[in-house]
Each structure stands twice: as structure tokens, then as C-alpha cells.
Amino acid sequence: MIDWRAAARGAVRGPTMTYGLIAVCCLVFLLGPVSGFNPSYGTGDRLLAAQSDWFRRWGVIPAELMSSEPHTLLSPVTALFVHGNWLHLLGNMLFLSVFGAMAEERMGRLEFLLFCLGCGYLALLAYAAAHATSEQTLVGASGAISAVLGAFLFLFPRARVTSLFPFLLFLPLRFPAWIVLVFWFVLQWLAARSAGPGPGVAYLAHVVGFALGFLYAWGRYGSADKVRVPAAATEGERQP
């Protein structure tokens, strides 16, 4: 005899929120003017103008956000689902798929969603506050995903991560998560110290998001609840 209730519960197991966030980001990108798949935006100069308008409409403009105009207060949320190009999208989604699944399993779906949105919002807000006069548009889920990395470091420090490092000839090597993530954080920190307010990668948002994620996991779960998985391995990760 089949227990349909148990089967239904099993059908919704897994990192559904992680996959849902990935699906929404990909869908927004494909429907927008940056992907090149939507013919309604035209080509040439018309397409470039549409892309600029797209980023300004849905992204964060620090000078406007710091002006506290009501219509700008939601921009850090909408900006999380907008990406600047294919490489930006695929890189962020790769990191989210690698580290999000285990973090979601530990937190639960709703908490994980609120955690990503909240930390992502605060990371973009911190960047805007540090560059309060900048008119450059900021988009992407990097701040939220950095928070996932920070939480992962606290919750699963000994989990094995398969990584590709450029200076090691891109050989697939497995390291404990704490080595990979601390190394990644140091790179972001060094880059943030030398980065300016102009176009480029918002490294400061990465640093703030990572710190927020780690502190949240530390305060929420505490050292007594930290999960130890010395042999578990995530999927492959390509390091920047």
C-alpha cells in the first residue's frame, strides 16, 4: 500500500528554494534586454539604450538610494535578480547552486529565502552608503550569495569543496570549505580596499554579505549546533 502523504512530502524535499532563486534569476535575465533573446528590445543603439534603462529601473543607484526617496527603497531587492551579462549570471548561479543547497537544508526553506533577501539587501545598502554620491548602477545577487558562503563557512567548515584555481592550472582539487572560503574572502577584502566607486565589481558588497552571513549563522545556531561533515563534498566550484 502506498502512503501518498509520505510520497507528497518526499516530492518537495531538496533545495527547492535554491533552485527557485536560480530559476527566477535566469528567467529575469532571459526576458530582459541583456540576454539578447528578447527581440522586442531591438538591436544596436536601441538595444544599448534599453539595457541602460533596464539597469537604472531595477538596479541600485547609490546616490538615489541614499536620498531616501520612497521609490528607491525596494531597489536593493529588485537588483538582486538582475545581472549584467552572461558571465555575471552564470558565475553567481554556480556559487548559489554549490553552497545554497546545504545551507537551505540546515536553515529551512522560508528562513533561507528571508536570509538571502535580507543579507543581500543589507550588502547593497552598505555599498551604497560607502559610495553615497555614485550614479553608477549596481545589480546582481553577489551580496546575497556571499552571505550564503559566510553561513556555509560557519555551518560546514570541514565539508570538502572541489575547486578550480587558475594559479594551479585549473586542476580540480578538493579542500575543506574553510580553506576555500577564507581564501575567497581574503581576495574580496583585498580587492575591496583598492576598488573605486566607478564601474566594476562591487567587492565591498561581497565582503559585507559574507560577514553578515557568517555572523547570522553564528548568532542563530551557535557553536553547539554547528554541523560537522568531514567527508561531505559539494559540487565543483570555479574560483575567480
Side-chain angles (χ1 to χ4, degrees):
M1 181 176 179
I2 298 177
D3 187 344
W4 293 108
R5 288 177 298 180
R9 288 194 299 268
V12 296
R13 289 178 180 172
T16 54
M17 197 60 71
T18 297
Y19 295 150
L21 290 172
I22 292 173
V24 171
C25 288
C26 290
L27 181 62
V28 169
F29 184 82
L30 292 174
L31 293 178
V34 183
S35 68
F37 285 144
N38 192 334
S40 66
Y41 291 105
T43 59
D45 291 340
R46 181 184 170 192
L47 177 60
L48 292 177
Q51 292 174 355
S52 178
D53 291 342
W54 176 263
F55 292 141
R56 294 191 68 85
R57 179 178 182 182
W58 301 113
V60 170
I61 300 175
E64 294 184 3
L65 180 60
M66 290 297 100
S67 70
S68 300
E69 291 292 333
H71 72 278
T72 67
L73 297 180
L74 285 179
S75 62
V77 175
T78 59
L80 294 175
F81 300 95
V82 178
H83 290 82
N85 52 50
W86 281 99
L87 185 61
H88 189 201
L89 173 72
L90 296 177
N92 275 350
M93 296 306 100
L94 175 62
F95 271 69
L96 181 56
S97 65
V98 168
F99 294 99
M102 290 177 66
E104 179 185 343
E105 182 180 357
R106 183 69 182 91
M107 295 181 182
R109 294 184 185 90
L110 180 59
E111 182 180 348
F112 180 75
L113 174 62
L114 296 177
F115 165 79
C116 288
L117 295 178
C119 290
Y121 189 105
L122 293 175
L124 294 179
L125 183 63
Y127 180 90
H131 303 90
T133 61
S134 175
E135 295 285 343
Q136 296 293 333
T137 308
L138 181 64
V139 297
S142 302
I145 296 171
S146 298
V148 172
L149 302 186
F152 193 98
L153 174 61
F154 180 83
L155 295 172
F156 309 103
R158 299 176 63 186
R160 294 284 178 172
V161 178
T162 302
S163 303
L164 303 179
F165 292 91
F167 59 86
L168 294 177
L169 304 178
F170 294 98
L171 294 175
L173 301 174
R174 293 179 63 192
F175 296 96
W178 71 268
I179 293 179
V180 175
L181 295 178
V182 169
F183 177 76
W184 181 88
F185 178 77
V186 170
L187 290 181
Q188 306 308 301
W189 172 263
L190 294 175
R193 288 172 59 87
S194 59
V201 179
Y203 293 107
L204 179 60
H206 298 181
V207 171
V208 172
F210 189 96
L212 288 173
F214 185 88
L215 291 174
Y216 176 87
W218 176 55
R220 172 70 173 83
Y221 299 101
S223 58
D225 288 338
K226 184 160 49 177
V227 179
R228 301 183 182 277
V229 278
T234 67
E235 300 174 20
E237 173 199 357
R238 180 174 61 83
Q239 288 292 322

